[in-house]
Amino acid sequence: MRQYSADLTPPWKKPKPVPEVAAEPGLVVEEPGTGFCGAVIRCEAGTVTLEDRFGKHRVFPLEPRGFLLEGRVVTLVRPSAAPVRPTRTASGSVAVPGARARVARAGRIYVEGRHDAELVERVWGDDLRIEGVVVEYLEGVDDLPAIVDEFGPGPDARLGVLVDHLVPGTKESRIAAAVTSEYALVVGHPYIDVWEAVKPASVGIPSWPRVPRGQDWKTGVCRALGWPENTGAAWERILDSVHSYRDLQPELLGRVEELIDFVTAPE
């Protein structure tokens, strides 16, 4: 015998279809079971978080016919995950979607080492490509006078240099003074190494430790923080914690912006 299945619910007892509404941030709804009324602040898989006018948060399941919108029963659904283009670059500049990299300028920015270069790229990379500025690293500043002389800075090829631990009375300060000119600008931050220019809170540490003189600074930092004494791995950990200019100390931010402005100044 053939089996049939049928919905025997009388038509007048069937629930009427209700509209589906995307749980966009800011949408104000009421959960009728509790009477909690609030604005959507977060919608994740299966749940929605509401915030009432007193700042209280409640999490509710995304169930059919589960909310009231302006007094009408609705089913909240998760918003479509449309890609959102950032409006700002990591440096805080206005983003230019689809902008092509400019042909590299003759001018350059030199930094001391690979870590410096990677940090500058992480935060200012988009800006530098639009401006056509190439960043190179020196592996120290001892040979900077010869490097600057060979580069030959001029009105159409400005040179900017970022130096670690540039404080009065140091070797770095004397070298900087010797090579600075109308078309060569040397600036620096006060930190022993560019690691310190990353805010400790961003890395998840209370502060950068003091390392006794005579010890390798980076190894000493790893040891003091209880990290494996692998400076390469430590740097990857630090760099991964940098997402924007907000993760850097202002003493570095100002100097890099100054160098970009100098190198890109009109001829």
Side-chain angles (χ1 to χ4, degrees):
M1 178 181 293
R2 180 177 297 177
Q3 299 293 324
Y4 293 91
S5 62
D7 184 357
L8 301 179
T9 305
W12 61 87
K13 289 189 176 182
K14 291 183 180 180
K16 295 181 179 180
V18 301
E20 292 187 346
V21 178
E24 300 285 357
L27 180 73
V28 177
V29 294
E30 178 184 347
E31 199 284 318
T34 61
F36 189 90
C37 182
V40 174
I41 61 170
R42 187 181 308 109
C43 186
E44 300 171 322
T47 65
V48 61
T49 303
L50 305 182
E51 180 182 54
D52 70 7
R53 61 193 180 93
F54 302 107
K56 185 178 180 180
H57 292 185
R58 290 283 297 274
V59 180
F60 297 99
L62 286 175
E63 295 181 341
R65 307 173 63 87
F67 297 88
L68 298 177
L69 175 62
E70 297 179 348
R72 297 183 302 133
V73 177
V74 298
T75 295
L76 289 187
V77 296
R78 194 175 183 183
S80 59
V84 178
R85 290 183 174 179
T87 58
R88 296 279 174 177
T89 67
S91 72
S93 301
V94 176
V96 185
R100 294 185 177 182
R102 175 175 173 165
V103 175
R105 297 172 180 265
R108 291 286 188 274
I109 291 178
Y110 286 168
V111 296
E112 280 206 52
R114 181 174 62 85
H115 293 179
D116 305 70
E118 290 176 345
L119 188 60
V120 169
E121 165 62 27
R122 173 63 58 92
V123 176
W124 289 275
D126 290 338
D127 308 69
L128 293 168
R129 278 182 284 280
I130 289 176
E131 295 291 349
V133 178
V134 175
V135 175
E136 301 179 8
Y137 60 91
L138 304 167
E139 293 292 1
V141 297
D142 290 344
D143 297 327
L144 185 57
I147 292 171
V148 172
D149 186 61
E150 181 180 355
F151 182 87
D156 58 347
R158 291 169 173 255
L159 179 62
V161 183
L162 179 68
V163 176
D164 296 340
H165 198 227
L166 187 60
V167 295
T170 61
K171 171 190 70 175
E172 290 82 2
S173 66
R174 292 190 291 272
I175 293 174
V179 302
T180 297
S181 67
E182 182 180 1
Y183 302 115
L185 174 65
V186 182
V187 299
H189 56 76
Y191 305 111
I192 294 173
D193 189 273
V194 77
W195 287 19
E196 281 191 297
V198 180
K199 291 180 178 177
S202 297
V203 184
I205 60 176
S207 62
W208 289 105
R210 293 184 176 274
V211 177
R213 285 181 175 274
Q215 289 188 25
D216 176 73
W217 188 84
K218 292 177 181 176
T219 303
V221 165
C222 293
R223 186 178 300 127
L225 294 175
W227 296 354
E229 293 181 19
N230 180 332
T231 57
W235 171 242
E236 291 300 323
R237 176 175 182 169
I238 296 165
L239 187 61
D240 285 345
S241 71
V242 176
H243 305 289
S244 77
Y245 70 95
R246 296 182 180 89
D247 297 306
L248 302 182
Q249 300 286 9
E251 290 85 352
L252 176 66
L253 292 173
R255 302 294 75 72
V256 176
E257 297 285 353
E258 185 179 356
L259 289 178
I260 294 174
D261 289 343
F262 177 77
V263 173
T264 59
E267 298 176 11

